[in-house]
Each structure stands twice: as C-alpha cells, then as structure tokens.
C-alpha cells in the first residue's frame, strides 16, 4: 500500500521537533483546534517547559509547517505541514475486522449490476469513513450469459445483460414506433446466438458489420432494436461513470457561512465530474493509494478538502477505475488510507473474477 515517499524536510527535524510537530497535527486531526505550548508540555512523554516548546514551535513556523490562526492562540499545521506529516510521520493503522466485513458484504456481486455493487461498496466506505465517497465505474467487459428485452410499454423496453458470474446490467431503451413483443423476442434471440460466452466489446463490431451487410435476415424494426441495444450498452462515449455518495458528511463540521459556500462549490464541481475524472487520471501511472491535500489540486483548492483515492484493476491488471473519499484536510489519514486501499482491492477482485 504505497504512499508517497518522505519529504527531505523531515531529515532536518530532530527527534524533539518531530514529536512536538506530531502532537500538534494529531490534536488538529482529532479536534480541529489549535494547541498551545502549555497543553503540549502536559502531553509529551519528556519533560519540556512551555518556553522550550514555544521555541520549537517558532522553528516549525519558520519551516512553513505551522501557523498561528490568532495572535495569542496555539498553532495549527499548514498544508505543507499536513503533507510532511502524511509523507514522513504518519503511522498507518490496521482496519478493524468489522470494517473489513462491512465492505466485504457490500461488495458481494451475485444478482447485482456492476453499478449496484460499486454503489453499495461506496456507501459502506463513505459511512465507515464519515466522508464523501467517490468511485469511477468501468464499462462492463465481462463474459455474457444471456440477453433479454423486457417490454415496458409506451415504446420503452428494459434491456438486461446477465454475465456468466451472476452480474446483471440493466438499461432503459427507447423503441422505434411499431415494435411489438415478437420484435423484442427476435432481437434477443439474435443477440444471444452471438454474445453468449463472449464479452460485449469482443463482438459488437462484428455484429455491427453483419447488420451493415444485411447478412442477419432481420426485418428493419428488429435491426433497429439490436442497434439501439448495442449503443445503449456501449454507453455512447469513452468516458467512465462517476458515482458520488455521502456528500452530507462534508457538512458535519461546517460552522461558518463561507465554509458552507466552499463546500457547495465542491458539490457543483463533483456534479460536473470532469475535473474529478481528470484528477483520477493521475492514478493511472501511480502505484497504490494517492493523497491530494487542499490546494495541491484545483478541485480542492477553494474548499481546503483532501482526497484519498486508490485505483482498481481488472483481470489483466489494467487500471479500469478508482475509488476514494473526500473529507476535510484534517481527515483521519491513518484510519482511512487502509480502508480505501482495502476497498479498491476488493473491487479489483470483483472486476477480475473469471
């Protein structure tokens, strides 16, 4: 579970400075409040006077790792300080067994569509982390078992794809005028004879050529239903789907009107999804969990939020999506990093099932 390497600044801090810095960051993560030298002197394992601690804190400020929100207040970590802490001082914890179990249960795929399985896993991750959860869902690439068109009336049908390992994909399809139940049955029979035991990507071009060259002996309406079904499953573009859950968690610590406005701006950015998908592209060349803190990325620069995200892979070890959480800058990194990493691995096993 790689996290980015240590910052060179960490080597310039002695043991005493590191411990004081660690205590300040951990207090910030726990409470969001600044901590002063007198409180720190009671928390440290070694006997240091408040004056000595203040001197160390001043040095850490000079490094750009701490700042004072008010003249007489204690200190808080800067964004650079949080990055240093995550890179060089963070001790990543281990997941509790009940957390693993909750994610495992939600990721069970039998009888669910891929989107349902991912959404439920994301809801579990969001609930456990108390953060907004985000996942980029891949297109279906699994071996198919059965295709069916279910008549819904009013020129609409439900298109059902069942994979050989029990995953189900459903799409609503608009039908051309004049389509009857017999047309849907004929379209289903045509596709089943060509798709069964193969992936959609492996055969859609082949079917399109057959339809183009009129080798299928289908009437014009059935041909249009087949073409519409293929277009619906293909998604019509090359973009992955973005699913977001648990946005309300980002509002739990908001107390000021300006903070609420910043979170609203982030919600709008997530709804457009384009910025987030570009951010997830950065995971394509990375190994393991990635952490983005505050203004390190334009998406979070205004809100001061952080994101912990990990890619997941298919059976051929290709990165096909990513899952993660968005939370305040003082997110509990030690607890949530392994949670995101584990969920990505579980989803990868789900995607990679034969």
């Amino acid at each position: 579970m790689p996290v980015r390497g240590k910052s060179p600044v960490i080597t310039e801090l002695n043991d005493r400075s590191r411990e004081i810095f660690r205590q300040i960051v951990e207090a910030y993560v726990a409470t969001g409040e600044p901590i002063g030298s007198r409180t720190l002197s009671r928390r440290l394992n070694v006997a240091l006077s408040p004056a000595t601690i203040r001197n160390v804190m001043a040095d850490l400020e000079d490094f750009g790792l701490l700042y004072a929100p008010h003249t007489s207040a204690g200190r808080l970590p800067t964004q650079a300080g949080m990055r240093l802490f995550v890179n060089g001082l963070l001790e990543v914890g281990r997941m509790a067994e009940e957390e693993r179990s909750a994610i495992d249960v939600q990721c069970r795929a039998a009888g669910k569509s891929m989107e349902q399985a991912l959404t439920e896993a994301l809801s579990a991750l969001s609930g456990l982390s108390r953060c907004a959860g985000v996942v980029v869902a891949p297109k279906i690439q699994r071996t198919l078992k059965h295709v069916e068109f279910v008549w819904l009336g009013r020129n609409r049908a439900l298109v059902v794809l069942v994979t050989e390992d029990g995953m189900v994909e459903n799409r609503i399809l608009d039908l051309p005028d004049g389509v009857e139940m017999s047309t849907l049955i004929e379209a289903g029979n045509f596709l089943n004879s060509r798709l069964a035991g193969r992936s959609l990507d492996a055969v859609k071009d082949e079917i399109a050529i057959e339809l183009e060259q009129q080798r299928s002996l289908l009437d014009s309406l059935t041909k249009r239903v087949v073409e519409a079904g293929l277009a619906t499953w293909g998604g019509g573009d090359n973009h992955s789907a973005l699913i977001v859950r648990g946005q309300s968690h980002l509002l739990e610590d908001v107390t000021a009107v300006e903070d609420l406005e910043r979170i609203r701006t982030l919600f709008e950015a997530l709804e457009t999804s384009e910025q987030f998908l570009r951010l997830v592209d950065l995971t394509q060349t990375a190994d393991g969990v990635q952490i983005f803190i505050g203004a390190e990325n334009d998406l979070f620069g205004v809100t001061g939020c952080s994101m912990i995200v990990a890619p997941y892979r298919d059976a051929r070890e290709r990165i096909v999506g990513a899952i993660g959480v968005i939370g305040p800058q003082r997110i509990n990194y030690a607890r949530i990093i392994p949670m995101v990493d584990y969920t990505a691995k579980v989803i990868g096993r789900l995607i990679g099932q034969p």
Side-chain angles (χ1 to χ4, degrees):
M1 183 176 54
V3 178
R4 294 173 185 171
K6 292 185 177 181
S7 164
V9 177
I10 197 68
T11 62
E12 301 177 33
L13 302 181
N14 58 31
D15 290 342
R16 182 172 65 182
S17 297
R18 291 185 198 185
E19 183 57 27
I20 289 173
F21 179 63
R22 183 199 303 275
Q23 291 285 348
I24 292 171
V25 174
E26 289 181 350
Y28 168 65
V29 169
T31 69
E33 298 295 327
I35 186 170
S37 57
R38 195 168 298 279
T39 303
L40 275 171
S41 68
R42 294 193 293 267
R43 295 177 61 159
L44 293 171
N45 294 325
V46 295
L48 293 176
S49 69
T52 300
I53 293 173
R54 282 194 295 272
N55 288 335
V56 174
M57 292 166 73
D59 291 339
L60 293 171
E61 263 194 277
D62 290 341
F63 271 124
L65 303 178
L66 299 180
Y67 75 100
H70 307 291
T71 304
S72 60
R75 298 297 186 273
L76 290 173
T78 63
Q79 181 179 295
M82 290 303 300
R83 170 55 65 189
L84 174 69
F85 176 77
V86 168
N87 285 359
L89 295 176
L90 180 67
E91 295 180 4
V92 177
R94 298 183 63 182
M95 285 182 67
E97 191 56 43
E98 57 268 24
E99 292 173 341
R100 289 177 180 266
S101 178
I103 292 170
D104 287 339
V105 168
Q106 295 296 83
C107 283
R108 288 175 185 161
K112 298 177 183 176
S113 70
M114 176 62 68
E115 185 171 324
Q116 285 175 319
L118 289 173
T119 298
E120 292 183 20
L122 187 62
S123 296
L125 179 60
S126 174
L128 290 169
S129 65
R130 306 301 297 174
C131 296
V134 288
V135 66
V136 178
K139 293 182 182 297
I140 186 168
Q141 299 291 337
R142 307 160 80 83
T143 304
L144 300 173
K145 179 181 180 182
H146 181 69
V147 181
E148 186 173 356
F149 293 85
V150 180
W151 176 260
L152 297 179
R154 297 185 178 180
N155 286 8
R156 301 180 84 202
L158 180 69
V159 192
V160 183
L161 254 65
V162 182
T163 68
E164 290 191 334
D165 55 355
M167 296 291 293
V168 181
E169 289 288 335
N170 300 312
R171 297 285 187 273
I172 299 293
L173 178 64
D174 292 323
L175 301 172
D177 292 333
V179 171
E180 299 179 353
M181 185 74 71
S182 59
T183 306
L184 297 182
I185 293 172
E186 185 178 3
N189 290 339
F190 171 82
L191 287 170
N192 277 314
S193 67
R194 290 155 176 81
L195 283 172
R198 305 169 74 184
S199 73
L200 180 62
D201 269 6
V203 296
K204 63 182 182 181
D205 290 341
E206 176 184 314
I207 292 175
I209 292 171
E210 182 175 348
L211 294 174
E212 180 76 20
Q213 296 177 351
Q214 300 294 324
R215 296 201 308 259
S216 60
L217 302 180
L218 296 178
D219 63 43
S220 61
L221 274 179
T222 306
K223 177 183 175 183
R224 289 172 65 187
V225 170
V226 169
E227 290 172 336
L230 290 174
T232 299
W233 294 320
D237 55 43
N238 294 320
H239 297 292
S240 300
L242 176 67
I243 305 171
V244 184
R245 291 291 182 273
Q247 295 98 314
S248 61
H249 292 313
L250 294 176
L251 300 173
E252 292 177 354
D253 288 335
V254 171
T255 56
V257 173
E258 56 269 24
D259 291 338
L260 184 62
E261 181 63 23
R262 286 196 291 266
I263 296 299
R264 186 187 65 79
T265 300
L266 176 60
F267 285 174
E268 291 177 352
L270 287 174
E271 285 173 2
T272 64
S273 81
E274 290 182 10
Q275 288 192 65
F276 180 79
L277 291 173
R278 285 199 298 270
L279 181 59
V280 170
D281 283 343
L282 298 177
T283 68
Q284 299 290 315
T285 57
D287 185 18
V289 178
Q290 297 294 295
I291 301 165
F292 301 91
I293 300 175
E296 290 178 349
N297 186 271
D298 292 342
L299 184 59
F300 305 124
V302 176
T303 62
C305 288
S306 293
M307 182 173 76
I308 301 172
V309 63
Y312 55 87
R313 301 172 184 270
D314 64 10
R316 288 187 269 177
E317 286 299 305
R318 299 174 303 180
I319 293 175
V320 293
I323 188 166
V325 300
I326 298 171
Q329 189 167 286
R330 65 182 189 90
I331 193 173
N332 190 333
Y333 298 92
R335 175 173 174 263
I336 295 174
I337 287 171
M339 198 179 290
V340 170
D341 183 62
Y342 182 74
T343 307
K345 286 182 168 61
V346 171
I347 291 174
R349 290 197 293 271
L350 175 67
I351 298 291
Q353 288 174 353

